[in-house]
Amino acid sequence: MSTRLPRRDFLALGAAAAAAPFISGRAFAASPTGTGLHGLSAFGDLKYGPDFTHFDFVNVDAPKGGTFNFSPPNWVLNQNPLTFNTLNTFVSRGDAPPRMGLCYDSLMTSALDEPDAIYGLLAKSVTISDDRNSFDFALRPEARFHDGTPLTAEDVAYAFTLFKKDGHPSLLLPLTHLTEAKAIDAHTLRLSFDGKQSDRTFLDIATYPIPAKSFFEANPFDASQLKAPLGSGPYKVGRVSPGQTIEFERVADYWGRDLPVNRGLYNFDRIRIEFYQDRQAAFEAFKKGDILFRQEFTSRIWATGYDFPALKSGKVVKREFPSEKRPMMQATALNQRRERFRDPRVRQAVALCFDFEWTNRNLFYGAYQRSQSTFEKSAYRAEGLPSPAELALLEPFRGRIPDETFGEAVIQPPSDGSGRDRKLLGQATKLLAAAGWARKDGSLRNAKGEPLSLEVLVDDDTFVRVFSPWIENMRAIGIDASARMVDSTQYQARQTSFDFDAIVMAVSFSATPSRDEIDELFHSRAARLQGSRNLPGTTDPAIDALIDAVGAAKDRDTLTVAMRALDRVLRARQDWIPNWFSANHRAAFWDMFGYKEPKPDFGFPVEAMWWFDKDKAARIGKT
């Protein structure tokens, strides 16, 4: 399963932050031109003015020190939590370790207690041109790479040009409308666009990590690199054992360590990640104290596994933290690049075979809720009948999008909880018959005599266990269904090249999604780009147009309408089979850390916000 975050979450994964004494923030769409701005937001005023001293969600007096050894719960770009074979996280190929973003700064960066605001980091200010198609960044002259060399506008221009040409799709696609990245002088960068970009495109692009030009002039820009590209962030790569362990060491003389929004962040001297191919092995390492923090994604272990001595004695804390206030999706993609999955009736029939109610009761210990929306847990989830505003967007496509779009928002029907709901399986059988699949010798075949086969690709035996009842239901109605478990490297390679029938992905979106963020999952152009997250291969002009409407929204109400309309079409198309979600983070950790509550609403980077508490560690014998 792939768990991904939007590009704007490079802050949450370790990019540093800074603020500059410029004019107070204005809504991005209404931001003044021709003057330096210290921050931008998609809609509304910025929370933090030019004279703020630190973010509210940090402890400015947090001590520095200690080692944080954890299992990353999320990752971006080509990163893989199970293994790694490259330290170049900017390309589509290869497996990079999570948290490489800790090593790089960006032009601007997000605050985790605001839904869409960004503040200057490498750039002390940004000036918008009168036509709003170019942005001039005044870079901080004190910015330095880890080798002491200056970080200049040439480095930034080179990085954007490189990403636009050969970068990972998450970096490449938003740069579609970038026409030029130019160094005006050593400390002034200009990004120019063709006028077709969304305002919120810029919010993503401005948070891209910036490696050194000198590194990629001397080294190939591919997945062969087990030497870390040179960065300027609060951490640098330390000890590395390929595929097994990576350590990130705090940079003692980090150029931005005293900037206001860095106060209270990046407190651990060392961040260590150990890689386990097997979930149970990782859990055993946590029980022994080799791993110090984990989020639990296996409901069976959460319900029955936390009874070991260290927890009973109070050395380990088991608790829940509120989830972020942002949309998410966990769903199974059926690959429409394969002809047998192009008929929506086939996809709907496959979905009807999944008995969530039985699975939740018998395998999940009642820990989850059924996902229905593409944008679950958010105001962007469509409910009931379309509103007049939604209909205004949808009506032009009547006859070209499913008729179900115009009725109640499509939901996956609940089962009777038996594990083999005869009514739902009967509906699935009728849908497959209508799609031209007839049962012969116990299996479904089309007019060419080809069988209807479906292989679910997984990289963990937990999903083999979870999906086995679903597979058995598919087999009961004549689908030649199976699960194929492969190692993490093969899994990532097959996902990147779209070499699968069905695959699961979990995605967390920004609280204020940009057009480009949605593009990579649903737009036609992403379907052809290997490494993108358009795993079903969705190609639909109506979807593309609705994504354009998302990008054109100038206020939150308009954005919400466009997102709900998009949700309706995606759900009616049955491109993704919704899985399940949890309302909270289920976390366990050795009681040796300090942290401030409540957590921020839009991110949970414990490795960046928490700190080592020597007194707590001494009490549990973890000095």
Side-chain angles (χ1 to χ4, degrees):
M1 180 184 71
S2 175
T3 303
R4 301 289 181 180
L5 289 170
R7 291 169 298 277
R8 221 174 296 163
D9 271 325
F10 265 103
L11 167 66
L13 303 186
F22 282 81
I23 68 170
S24 60
R26 302 265 303 274
F28 183 34
S31 296
T33 60
T35 188
L37 305 172
H38 84 288
L40 297 168
S41 65
F43 311 118
D45 292 334
L46 297 172
K47 176 180 179 179
Y48 296 99
D51 57 349
F52 79 103
T53 58
H54 61 84
F55 287 133
D56 291 344
F57 55 84
V58 304
N59 172 15
V60 294
D61 298 317
K64 306 294 185 184
T67 295
F68 189 69
N69 189 342
F70 80 126
S71 297
N74 41 42
W75 52 94
V76 294
L77 302 176
N78 68 344
Q79 296 168 13
N80 190 329
L82 301 179
T83 189
F84 68 97
N85 50 36
T86 181
L87 296 181
N88 183 1
T89 192
F90 308 117
V91 293
S92 60
R93 298 288 181 178
D95 303 275
R99 301 308 184 262
M100 286 301 299
L102 289 163
C103 302
Y104 305 98
D105 291 319
S106 52
L107 290 169
M108 305 183 81
T109 193
S110 305
L112 300 180
D113 52 353
E114 295 182 86
D116 50 42
I118 58 175
Y119 296 89
L121 170 50
L122 289 170
K124 60 184 177 181
S125 71
V126 57
T127 301
I128 306 173
S129 66
D130 289 341
D131 65 3
R132 298 184 175 273
N133 289 330
S134 66
F135 303 83
D136 285 1
F137 296 88
L139 302 188
R140 298 180 187 276
E142 66 269 31
R144 292 289 185 275
F145 288 110
H146 294 149
D147 65 354
T149 58
L151 190 158
T152 70
E154 283 287 347
D155 292 290
V156 186
Y158 181 87
F160 278 106
T161 303
L162 188 63
F163 294 159
K164 180 178 172 67
K165 180 176 182 289
D166 294 318
H168 187 280
S170 292
L171 301 171
L172 185 155
L173 285 170
L175 297 175
T176 299
H177 300 294
L178 178 74
T179 57
E180 185 179 37
K182 181 179 181 181
I184 304 301
D185 56 43
H187 300 119
T188 307
L189 172 82
R190 177 171 296 162
L191 297 181
S192 300
F193 297 83
D194 62 12
K196 299 178 183 178
Q197 75 283 355
S198 163
D199 282 345
R200 293 187 307 285
T201 297
F202 178 76
L203 300 181
D204 284 336
I205 291 172
T207 60
Y208 278 13
I210 304 299
K213 175 182 178 181
S214 60
F215 181 88
F216 285 118
E217 285 185 327
N219 296 277
F221 186 64
D222 59 26
S224 66
Q225 295 299 318
L226 271 170
K227 177 182 178 183
L230 182 61
S232 65
Y235 287 86
K236 62 182 178 181
V237 172
R239 189 168 74 88
V240 173
S241 178
Q244 298 179 21
T245 306
I246 187 168
E247 291 183 352
F248 298 99
E249 298 176 350
R250 187 165 60 86
V251 179
D253 60 349
Y254 170 48
W255 73 271
R257 64 187 181 277
D258 297 322
L259 294 170
V261 292
N262 275 341
R263 296 182 63 198
L265 290 173
Y266 314 119
N267 301 310
F268 295 107
D269 281 346
R270 184 175 296 103
I271 294 172
R272 178 181 173 92
I273 302 172
E274 296 180 14
F275 294 79
Y276 296 87
Q277 294 281 342
D278 180 76
R279 290 193 184 201
Q280 187 61 39
F283 183 52
E284 294 300 324
F286 172 74
K287 289 162 64 175
K288 291 190 298 182
D290 294 337
I291 292 175
L292 303 173
F293 175 95
R294 66 183 267 121
Q295 288 191 47
E296 187 57 70
F297 297 103
T298 304
S299 53
R300 174 181 55 83
I301 293 178
W302 186 252
T304 65
Y306 284 82
D307 59 354
F308 50 93
L311 188 136
K312 291 179 178 179
S313 66
K315 293 182 178 181
V316 169
V317 176
K318 176 191 178 192
R319 61 163 292 184
E320 295 188 3
F321 292 90
S323 288
E324 286 67 66
K325 296 179 179 178
R326 42 200 273 177
M328 62 81 62
M329 176 186 77
Q330 180 170 311
T332 303
L334 294 183
N335 190 355
Q336 295 169 43
R337 299 169 187 85
R338 300 185 173 175
E339 186 177 356
R340 60 189 181 277
F341 302 124
R342 291 175 190 165
D343 192 316
R345 294 170 294 190
V346 172
R347 304 195 294 271
Q348 185 180 356
V350 170
L352 288 169
C353 292
F354 178 59
D355 191 328
F356 170 76
E357 285 70 25
W358 185 93
T359 302
N360 193 39
R361 185 179 71 251
N362 291 279
L363 301 180
F364 293 160
Y365 295 83
Y368 291 107
Q369 300 176 50
R370 180 70 190 266
S371 294
Q372 297 290 354
S373 171
T374 318
F375 309 113
E376 200 60 72
K377 300 197 299 185
S378 76
Y380 308 132
R381 170 178 166 153
E383 301 277 2
L385 294 169
S387 67
E390 291 172 54
L391 283 173
L393 291 175
L394 296 171
E395 282 292 353
F397 306 107
R398 190 181 284 274
R400 291 182 285 161
I401 56 178
D403 292 341
E404 293 84 355
T405 305
F406 298 92
E408 297 275 341
V410 170
I411 64 170
Q412 302 300 314
S415 75
D416 61 11
S418 66
R420 186 163 292 190
D421 188 317
R422 296 172 65 90
K423 179 181 177 182
L424 295 184
L425 295 181
Q427 292 176 17
T429 299
K430 291 178 181 178
L431 285 166
L432 292 170
W437 295 92
R439 192 138 187 175
K440 183 178 181 180
D441 298 327
S443 65
L444 289 169
R445 296 181 179 274
N446 61 16
K448 300 177 183 178
E450 299 166 333
L452 178 53
S453 60
L454 187 153
E455 179 185 270
V456 184
L457 187 69
V458 299
D459 62 352
D460 191 284
D461 60 6
T462 296
F463 283 96
V464 175
R465 176 173 171 266
V466 168
F467 288 148
S468 287
W470 181 32
I471 289 167
E472 288 304 313
N473 278 342
M474 285 190 276
R475 295 182 70 85
I477 63 171
I479 300 173
D480 181 16
S482 62
R484 170 71 63 89
M485 190 173 78
V486 297
D487 64 59
S488 57
T489 299
Q490 186 179 358
Y491 182 88
Q492 182 120 323
R494 288 184 61 174
Q495 176 179 296
T496 297
S497 62
F498 308 126
D499 182 17
F500 57 83
D501 291 342
I503 196 169
V504 177
M505 183 169 67
V507 179
S508 180
F509 298 91
S510 299
T512 309
S514 69
R515 179 175 65 191
D516 301 284
E517 184 180 342
I518 304 300
D519 257 12
E520 194 193 347
L521 277 142
F522 310 120
H523 200 284
S524 300
R525 61 174 164 261
R528 299 183 293 272
L529 186 61
Q530 288 197 358
S532 83
R533 295 184 293 173
N534 187 342
L535 301 183
T538 302
T539 55
D540 188 328
I543 296 275
D544 299 346
L546 289 171
I547 291 173
D548 288 341
V550 168
K554 299 297 184 183
D555 57 67
R556 197 169 296 280
D557 288 344
T558 306
L559 173 66
T560 300
V561 168
M563 289 286 287
R564 287 176 179 171
L566 177 62
D567 187 37
R568 289 182 186 279
V569 180
L570 289 168
R571 288 160 66 177
R573 283 178 52 91
Q574 305 273 350
D575 287 347
W576 298 84
I577 299 172
N579 294 161
W580 52 82
F581 70 92
S582 174
N584 298 306
H585 294 289
R586 298 179 302 208
F589 51 92
W590 286 75
D591 193 15
M592 53 190 291
F593 305 113
Y595 51 92
K596 185 174 180 178
E597 296 194 87
K599 64 173 281 296
D601 286 337
F602 302 103
F604 191 42
V606 292
E607 68 277 15
M609 297 189 302
W610 288 18
W611 61 91
F612 177 71
D613 188 315
K614 290 192 290 187
D615 292 336
K616 284 185 175 182
R619 284 197 293 270
I620 66 171
K622 281 282 191 179
T623 55

